[in-house]
């Protein structure tokens, strides 16, 4: 799960170098690095034109055979009512 958060921070860094304003949200508590997951805050960021990256959202979905990436995709889909959704594949 920590690798997912690290990848999220790397994606954020790459996007911000391109001038794209981004926010990372995670279930981990590390306020110096990223925000805690909040559906309302994610929607607000999207309304302001920011990209929201969901990484390390909880310990997966609690269902066998599903990963933390699945949980991040579910949280993203919950927040993306009228916004485009981009899900990046896991690179191993």
């Amino acid at each position: 799960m920590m690798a997912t958060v690290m990848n999220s921070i790397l994606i954020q860094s790459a996007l911000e170098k391109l001038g794209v304003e981004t926010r990372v949200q995670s279930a981990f508590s590390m306020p110096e690095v990223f925000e805690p997951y909040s559906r309302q805050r994610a929607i607000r960021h999207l309304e302001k034109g920011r990209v929201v990256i969901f990484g390390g959202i909880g310990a997966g979905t609690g269902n066998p055979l599903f990963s933390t990436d699945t949980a991040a995709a579910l949280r993203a889909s919950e927040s993306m009512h009228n916004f485009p959704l981009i899900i990046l594949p896991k690179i191993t």
Side-chain angles (χ1 to χ4, degrees):
M1 195 169 11
M2 193 60 181
T4 304
V5 172
M6 291 168 46
N7 288 340
S8 299
I9 294 168
L10 290 171
I11 291 168
Q12 178 184 36
S13 177
L15 288 172
E16 290 194 348
K17 284 181 183 177
L18 296 172
V20 178
E21 195 173 354
T22 64
R23 297 292 185 271
V24 175
Q25 290 193 350
S26 176
F28 287 122
S29 178
M30 214 180 282
E32 302 84 17
V33 182
F34 42 74
E35 298 178 8
Y37 170 71
S38 166
R39 182 177 180 267
Q40 291 81 14
R41 286 189 59 98
I43 291 171
R44 189 166 184 197
H45 288 313
L46 292 167
E47 289 171 346
K48 291 183 176 186
R50 299 176 183 136
V51 171
V52 181
I53 301 167
F54 300 93
I57 302 289
T61 62
N63 298 307
L65 307 176
F66 290 93
S67 69
T68 55
D69 297 329
T70 304
L74 286 170
R75 299 303 172 262
S77 68
E78 288 173 352
S79 301
M80 300 299 210
H81 298 287
N82 297 317
F83 303 98
L85 173 62
I86 300 171
I87 299 176
L88 299 172
K90 189 172 192 173
I91 301 170
T92 56

